Amino acid sequence: MLAHGTVVTMDAQRHIFRDGAVAFQGRDIVAVGETDQILTQYPEAQIVDVRGHIVIPGLVNAHTHMPMSLLRGLVDDQRLDVWLLGYMMPVEREFVRPDFVRWGTLLSALEMVKGGTTTFCDMYYYEDEVARAAAEVGMRGICGQTILKFPAPDAATYDESLEYTRGFIERWKDHDLIIPAVAPHAPYTATEDMIKRCVALAVEYDVPLHIHLAETEKEVRDNYRERGAPPIVWAEQVGLFQAKVIAAHCVHIEEREMDLLARYRAGVAHNPSSNLKLASGIAPVVAMREHGVTVGIGTDGAASNNDLDMFEETRLAAFLPKGISGDPTALPAEEAFAMATIEGAKALHMDHMIGSLEPGKRADIVVIAVDEPHARPQYALSDENVYSHLVYTAHASDVRHVWINGRPIVKDRVVLTVDAEAVYEKAQAFADRIADFLSKREASLLDKLIAIGGLKRSETFEIQVKARIASPDQVVQVLHNDPDIEIVKHTIRQQYDTYFLFNGRDAGIIRYREDNVIRTTDEHGSPVSLNVEPIYTLTLLGPTHEREYGNSIILSRSRFTAPAMYSLRFYKEYFQPKRIKEVVKWRDRYRIRYKGEDFAINIDKLSKPPEEGYFLEIKSRTWSEEDAIRKAVLAGELLEKFGVRPNEIVRGEYVAF
Amino acid sequence: MLAHGTVVTMDAQRHIFRDGAVAFQGRDIVAVGETDQILTQYPEAQIVDVRGHIVIPGLVNAHTHMPMSLLRGLVDDQRLDVWLLGYMMPVEREFVRPDFVRWGTLLSALEMVKGGTTTFCDMYYYEDEVARAAAEVGMRGICGQTILKFPAPDAATYDESLEYTRGFIERWKDHDLIIPAVAPHAPYTATEDMIKRCVALAVEYDVPLHIHLAETEKEVRDNYRERGAPPIVWAEQVGLFQAKVIAAHCVHIEEREMDLLARYRAGVAHNPSSNLKLASGIAPVVAMREHGVTVGIGTDGAASNNDLDMFEETRLAAFLPKGISGDPTALPAEEAFAMATIEGAKALHMDHMIGSLEPGKRADIVVIAVDEPHARPQYALSDENVYSHLVYTAHASDVRHVWINGRPIVKDRVVLTVDAEAVYEKAQAFADRIADFLSKREASLLDKLIAIGGLKRSETFEIQVKARIASPDQVVQVLHNDPDIEIVKHTIRQQYDTYFLFNGRDAGIIRYREDNVIRTTDEHGSPVSLNVEPIYTLTLLGPTHEREYGNSIILSRSRFTAPAMYSLRFYKEYFQPKRIKEVVKWRDRYRIRYKGEDFAINIDKLSKPPEEGYFLEIKSRTWSEEDAIRKAVLAGELLEKFGVRPNEIVRGEYVAF
């Protein structure tokens, strides 16, 4: 029993006992009130004197990704897509295994309990390990097993994920600390079928469903375009809210969506630090609450925050509505503190067991010291002073003792249930391996290209000769009239090339090409039906090897090409080239056969950088030295047929102009 | 000499030494670099091994009010005017004396140095005491003596303040830690003459000028209205920027004002927590920096933050531009950290001596531990990881050692230079006295009314009788025709009354009246020229004493009346009534003389709450029992003349309807 503290109950009447006590037996609170009175009720109880301290219900972190503390500070200040697609996902693909999940969870649990958080709501992979590690520390948590429509680190398909999740729920459903949950990642990473099956599973076992909803403007825009409705409206249409939903973020949300969340009693997890840091925006917390939505507070994962500090998060949750609305009375301290405790518990559908200090609820209790200068002086004019202290002044480092489920977890700022040094050591070992992986990748454009996926690891070489010509006609006439030349296909294209240049002779060059095919004709000169979508390709051009062959110059180089799935801006930020150069040209491209070999004949007109006249390129793919020599000879013959003189041959590439 | 730490220099090249050392002699840094190299240079130096720690330049808190830590958490979540006019200013009027300033400064200095802040820029009263206390702790600071056009706690006029400031500058201008400064509070609390004399003083002694500029939208609107320009444009017109300006806030600022700040090399102190908490808004930091303005970071006073934590402040400064702009690359960690150090030093015109770890600068050095779970793991892929850790993850509680001016101030998280317990005790004693003062005030509406000023402490009593009448004519005829009645003045008014009602029999009632005089005629019935401005009055109506006298009912009560200088909204929030009731009426008011006594005859038509017919009120001020009885008799006679029957007499007030 804790006695003589300022007990902030967060019960329905928001009782505060200035000389208060909390008695608990086993895992449950049995009495809360004035110390005198509770002492009379439980004269035999062992007393922990917390005089001069504040006693609060354990804080509820309504949204996080526990294992991601291992990625804390790895990379920041990047665009969301670069951060996610360029760093988080490649690293997760490479490193997320059960041991990563275990040690990351232990590290996060350490930080959380030291900072007064007793309950978390998680979403990650290998959630069995999250549950096991949290239970080991003695933390309470909702553990949401992630389900994606893509392959995930722990499953190749969502069928596999759903099967794993069912087993996971079966294994944990009767645990005293862990509540298993189904966690379809987000609407934009789900199919309708996937959501429906997640909901069915959650309903079957009556477990919560944890999901990201309406985090970014882009998500909302895309959902409108692809499904004709904003994410939460769509989610309702596909039956999401038949489950007990915990929705993270809800930053970009319409009023009708607030009404849906309220009607279906979905809980919202507001993550102000993450939403600011990743530039998602600021969730309309006050409006949601006015619409009757229950809103808790979450830290999100440590990779996007970068800490798991519920005091910081609650302070920010209280600050933002004021600054945004111009109304300093918006979301007063008491309400912000409620969001971090009882409202958070409601948002997690757990308010029958946690969120306030009341008889019958679990003994999740935090004792806050007021010994540091920032905690001085203490005003006691009204209850508001206490909430004000907790929200605007108290720091995570002020947490002195923590009990969870009646078990002492932190005593005098030391975590009792886990060997912290062992966790730190393992965490650092992971960080060192990840840094090693990334620094190798950063050193090689190819590895960096492969890391973001989509590239087939296939190297090709080509021979090439290039010459200035006065007019296309001198080539086109020959192509059509020479009996040895057969035109296979003819296209007219406009090509926008952006070259990323790097320092170092062997660094290579990345080319991002937007290729607009304007007109295509077949071998008979008949137009071929046209796909008007531009083709985006990303090519890594290796160092060039230049050799002269008779009157032609042969360039050969390695090339890795892949469809460019992301935007030019993404690649710019991901590769961070030293210089960028653009080349824009019209290209008449003939695919021909000449003496049994395939050649591409390009007649190019450069508009950027602007160049007088035209360029002729003769190219062919090659695989061997011998083949290269044979093709070089043939290219020399073609040059002669086109009437190109040796002094018209151009060395170097457009990018070097 | 500190050795083997990760030394973050913040020099022009932003050098970071992974196994770094900082050597200092006396107050000055003499060498910074790789430990190996510095050890060779200074083989005799005494070594503090800071292996595994991060060494940074002391943080620069660019705007604060040191003594206000004593008011921390006193009252929050109020509108700015209620907070300032209703609480801060009355408490400051009552309590701000040299001892308050001394102990508040010591408390703030304790918090600041423990949190890694080595330099502050202050603005308060009795600045001699701020300087003395800060020097005692060993902190570096710019101490700005506040100058106001109104009476201040330490001066009756600004002449007096200016004289004090001159003496203050003389006393401190050669001190090694303290830089005295002139601090005209803000444009809206200054006259042009006052600003000019402040500038002249600052220029004469070449000391900085510290001022609040463009903090709220209201300030800008008012400045436009009263001076035809926004505050910073106006400030330039009156010559403010001839001084070395440190401008706090700059939240609502136009591009041309950014250009002015840049051109005159004024420094800006950005206070994100305070600006959010008081709902001032979010300063356009990125735009200001793009315009070439130097921006540092400040905590503002602890009453509006509520802590003096530069780590929290810097993190928030880095978060906000991202969330607001939608660009997660806005203000990256390195730049935010620069704002907390070298840019802050520039903003304070002190970058020749502090802000970075470089030979020749003062030895203001902070050592950060990375031992807590939130600091794990540590990535060292690039320098960005270090800045990321410092801005997004490090907490004030991670500060382990601090040197200022070469002197050890904090060692192993303990402040060496001041008896913290004595400070805590004094701070609590002040808080207790202030709480006592406020709780007495809150208990009495009268004290609360007096606290905000403007009320003359004069009690008046009145007798009153009220009756329902069918038509005004029955009264007006008599007034004009009765030979004993002389009409002195006649006005027609529309009155909007808002009553604040409180629980408790003796609580009294506050009435806020907007009184619109529509037409006035003198004793001859000639119109009097009219002031069309409504008259706003605030009246405290004490408990009513009701007595019957013959056929009239006499009400007497105490009244305190004052012009209502603030808005109805302000008073609502300040007094926080249990209920509010509105009464709207047209009033024909006759001031008459009858048998040598003055009476007011009111003929009222209520539109809210809507009432049939008219009301007659006969009122007179009174001072004694005997006088009350005589006037009651005369009022009875008047009632009879007006043909009012006893059953038409109404008990109670309009507010009770």
Side-chain angles (χ1 to χ4, degrees), chain A residues 229-240:
Chain A
I232 295 170
V233 169
W234 177 80
E236 200 252 352
Q237 288 164 359
V238 303
L240 186 80

Side-chain angles (χ1 to χ4, degrees), chain A residues 33-53:
Chain A
E34 297 294 345
T35 297
D36 283 358
Q37 185 204 324
I38 307 299
L39 276 177
T40 320
Q41 274 181 268
Y42 296 91
E44 308 290 300
Q46 193 192 334
I47 287 174
V48 180
D49 192 322
V50 290
R51 208 173 296 264
H53 290 71

Side-chain angles (χ1 to χ4, degrees), chain B residues 99-285:
Chain B
D99 60 340
F100 177 99
V101 171
R102 170 177 172 71
W103 294 104
T105 300
L106 288 174
L107 180 61
S108 291
L110 263 173
E111 183 183 352
M112 282 186 182
V113 294
K114 284 195 86 170
T117 299
T118 55
T119 298
F120 64 86
C121 179
D122 190 64
M123 175 194 289
Y124 211 64
Y125 311 106
Y126 298 110
E127 201 67 24
D128 258 317
E129 294 299 324
V130 174
R132 195 170 298 130
E136 211 172 297
V137 176
M139 268 199 97
R140 192 182 302 288
I142 293 179
C143 295
Q145 167 63 32
T146 301
I147 299 170
L148 288 168
K149 71 178 177 187
F150 325 113
D154 57 357
T157 63
Y158 71 78
D159 299 283
E160 219 179 292
S161 276
L162 281 159
E163 204 183 302
Y164 173 92
T165 308
R166 176 180 292 276
F168 168 67
I169 296 171
E170 284 283 354
R171 285 188 288 280
W172 291 93
K173 67 188 165 60
D174 300 317
H175 196 275
D176 209 25
L177 289 170
I178 302 302
I179 297 173
V182 185
H185 170 270
Y188 62 93
T189 53
T191 65
E192 187 176 326
D193 173 66
M194 190 192 109
I195 292 284
K196 284 183 167 159
R197 287 167 62 190
C198 288
V199 170
L201 189 62
V203 168
E204 180 183 342
Y205 285 98
D206 191 28
V207 295
L209 184 149
H210 188 188
I211 188 169
H212 297 109
L213 281 182
E215 182 173 3
T216 66
E217 252 185 313
K218 180 177 187 305
E219 174 187 343
V220 173
R221 216 164 43 228
D222 290 351
N223 211 82
Y224 257 111
R225 199 182 55 233
E226 288 159 25
R227 294 157 167 169
I232 296 169
V233 169
W234 177 81
E236 199 252 349
Q237 288 163 0
V238 303
L240 185 81
F241 296 109
Q242 289 161 32
K244 295 188 296 193
V245 170
I246 301 158
H249 304 304
C250 300
V251 176
H252 300 278
I253 165 174
E254 300 175 12
E255 293 208 24
R256 57 177 169 152
E257 294 181 287
M258 298 180 194
D259 290 334
L260 287 175
L261 294 173
R263 185 191 320 152
Y264 291 105
R265 295 175 193 278
V268 168
H270 171 46
N271 303 272
S273 287
S274 167
N275 296 156
L276 286 177
K277 183 159 177 286
L278 301 179
S280 308
I282 297 173
V285 169

